Amino acid sequence: MNLRRDVFQAIADPTRRAILMLVASQAMTAGAIAANFDTARPTVSKHLQILTECELLEQQQNGRENYYYINAKKMKEVADFIEPFRQMWDERFNKLEAIMKHYKGK
């Protein structure tokens, strides 16, 4: 059975978000990524597999090592999906702030 991983389920996990933050600045090997966590390497490998399956990370072999790096195109798709919600909440908070300033001034 070929299951397609959901991007939002993948980024719901704090460890996977931390991995994305690590790899955002530079490509890293699985070992280098695992060194940043207090979990077993197979656990980190499973997180990397999930991030790769949902296309947030890509991997490239260089000699005997696999390097993981951010798939910027997929990250942009996620950001583009979230942007209207961010704008909506910004507008709501701005309206609330204006109401609070109005009542504070009285």
Side-chain angles (χ1 to χ4, degrees):
M1 176 188 264
N2 187 10
L3 295 176
R4 176 94 174 147
R5 297 278 183 182
D6 180 69
V7 170
F8 295 101
Q9 287 178 335
I11 62 176
D13 184 275
T15 301
R16 289 193 283 270
R17 288 193 308 269
I19 290 170
L20 290 171
M21 294 298 291
L22 280 171
V23 180
S25 60
Q26 66 180 11
M28 298 175 78
T29 64
I33 294 167
N36 290 277
F37 299 94
D38 290 332
T39 58
R41 186 169 172 170
T43 303
V44 173
S45 292
K46 182 65 177 175
H47 287 302
L48 291 171
Q49 177 187 358
I50 291 168
L51 290 169
T52 303
E53 286 176 4
C54 68
E55 300 175 350
L56 290 172
L57 288 183
E58 293 184 359
Q59 61 181 353
Q60 182 176 359
Q61 189 165 357
N62 187 357
R64 291 176 37 176
E65 297 284 349
N66 279 324
Y67 284 84
Y68 292 88
Y69 59 96
I70 288 284
N71 178 352
K73 182 178 177 185
K74 189 67 167 185
M75 292 296 286
K76 176 144 177 30
E77 288 176 19
V78 173
D80 289 347
F81 175 81
I82 292 171
E83 181 60 21
F85 298 102
R86 188 194 64 75
Q87 289 175 358
M88 176 188 67
W89 282 107
D90 280 348
E91 289 172 13
R92 288 182 180 183
F93 284 125
N94 289 339
K95 287 178 184 176
L96 179 60
E97 183 178 34
I99 291 169
M100 291 174 67
K101 284 181 180 178
H102 174 76
Y103 283 109
K104 186 178 179 182
K106 287 185 175 184

